[in-house]
Amino acid sequence: MTDTINAGITHGLYTEGEPIADTKAPAGPIAQMWTTRRFEAALVNPANRRKLDVIIVGTGLAGGSAAATLGEAGYNVKSFCFQDSPRRAHSIAAQGGINAAKNYKEDGDSVYRLFYDTVKGGDYRSRETNVYRLAEVSANIIDQCVAQGVPFARDYGGLLDNRSFGGVQVSRTFYARGQTGQQLLIGAYQALERQVAAGTVTTYTRHEMLEIVVVDGRARGIIVRDLVTGEIETHLADAVVLASGGYGNVFFLSTNAMGSNVTASWRAHRKGAYMANPCFTQIHPTCIPVSGEHQSKLTLMSESLRNDGRIWVPKNREDCDKDPRDIPEEDRDYYLERIYPSYGNLVPRDIASRQAKNVCDEGRGVGPKVGDFRRGVYLDFADAIERLGKAAVSEKYGNLFDMYARITGEDPYTVPMRIYPAVHYVMGGLWVDYDLQSSIPGLFVAGEANYSDHGANRLGASALMQGLADGYFVLPNTIRDYLAKGPFEPLSADHPEVVAARRSVESRTERLLAINGERSVDSFHRELGQVMWEYCGMERSEEGLLKAIDLIRGLREEFWRNVRVLGAGDTLNQSLERAGRVADFLELGELMCIDALHRRESCGSHFRVESQTEDGEALRHDDEYAYVAAWESTGGDGFGELGTPVLHKEDLVYEAIQLKQRSYK
């Protein structure tokens, strides 16, 4: 490779290590792999399960369903969340739906088509064995949730209804109006609470994981802080599962809940778990635009709205400040329908987001100016209301329309919605093998916290599918192969490695409280977010990424010298909570930029200006970059100093699907 392509190595930003591979996926036809793996995985008899302890961090769809399933199997489960109830996990915010290959519409769907759409939607940067398994178990998820009483929408005849989502041409998305995540989480929560009542699961709310305990190379527990009392606690087990969600809040403004963070995953990374493809960040195309500098988060409008809403901007710049109802049809540019006639408004999220940015950069954005630009495009339901009637549209999207009206003060039934892309989901995460085990034995990772299923771009309605697939069906069948080797040697709180892990948490807390600087935690977070959005957002370049890395390093140095954390460590202290999370974001942000810099190709959500087709589409380079980038931490002092990361490459081998340039035209 040239020095330009190896800019990261040229500038001493990383080194290359030995290649890695997934050794857990069985040989043979891809359609038989999951059946084979379940049979080959060792069993744990019921009497021995009662002797085995499992810690699960996170109570969203992945963590909640995993805890419920493992508890019902007879293991002793400890479930941790930083919210005041498992029901407040961020999965509750998901709106539009969950995919499953049921083919209820008889429109050509199948397990293979869901598999194909997912790999293609991810721009051929996901591991096909994991994705096929996800598609294979998807149908079971719907049956499980219906049995739990999840109120999926139904058609006139009483059968489960489906709708389409971006990146596909079939209807495979099951939904409960715009509250699908909430309804699914309630289903997982009631299954979890059943096991709490049975005594197999113990829940710890308002507890935040701050360190992982690794003994003899195995994950054996976690160090947590009781967020109410401030007490540092040690919890030990035979295996640890991280289901702690994504890290989109590194951008400060995102659709994520304010508390969403990377600390659990990042602590594991600093202890030896590889972080895979961290720069693959999904920008969601249908969010309420930024309205000013006062905002601390953004609001998602479900992608399901693209089923019936038409996206457009004025053809002429001088029309951008007009009432959209006064702009005649011939002066409107339905740009997605024009550029991508086969998919229209249902192109994948990365493409819809990038095209919205393009038309706004051309000066054809709508809505009030924020800074020097109008950052918004119209999502118009006039045609749908005329075709279906207001009542039918309200039945499908009513709560979403109500939410939009409350936030903006505009009636979307009479005036087109204004939307603009925003940071949403992350496809990157901790590296896992086919068993969902990380590079640390005994540490398993489920849901958005792992990287395994979505490649460089997630299809809409696939996050809920992955979370429940991992928790209900995959992890319980793979973790038993590891637990069959236990119970492992009992540990006590005075073991040297346990003491060292606890002491590292205490030292970090003491250091944050002792700085007593002049800048607030949020000011650092906001500045980091601006750097990340500008240089590692929808468009990346070598020059911009190198600048971002320098800016982040300077910001991180100032943070550990000049941040002001109020309060004490032995009580409720939300300033201290935020400080620890932002400290981790300041480290993650640099790795994301290094990852984006080293991958000098465009794929999915990762768009490098140096790698695009003549008409501005993403241009992959499969001969150089058809691999997972798995980053190893080399330490540092834990107070802002990072070692030079090591890049390990896992080659992506496609046998069931042919690699080709993605096209939705």
Side-chain angles (χ1 to χ4, degrees), residues 92-97 163-165 173 175-182 284 286-288 299-309 349 379 381 392-413 415-419:
I92 203 170
Q95 297 173 355
R163 58 190 179 197
S164 296
F165 258 62
T173 303
Y175 64 99
R177 299 190 78 188
Q179 306 169 340
T180 314
Q182 178 181 359
H284 197 291
T286 52
C287 300
I288 297 178
T299 302
L300 171 72
M301 297 303 296
S302 170
E303 187 183 11
S304 63
L305 295 168
R306 290 200 281 153
N307 271 288
D308 293 303
R349 291 176 172 181
L379 178 60
F381 278 83
V393 172
S394 176
E395 184 178 356
K396 294 172 73 174
Y397 309 113
N399 64 307
L400 298 171
F401 279 42
D402 292 344
M403 181 174 69
Y404 181 88
R406 286 196 300 270
I407 292 172
T408 66
E410 300 172 0
D411 179 10
Y413 290 104
V415 181
M417 291 183 182
R418 287 178 294 106
I419 59 170

Side-chain angles (χ1 to χ4, degrees), residues 78-101:
K78 291 183 177 182
S79 170
F80 292 83
C81 67
F82 65 76
Q83 298 91 347
D84 58 4
S85 167
R87 289 177 299 174
R88 292 187 180 272
H90 190 50
S91 297
I92 203 170
Q95 297 173 355
I98 177 171
N99 288 331

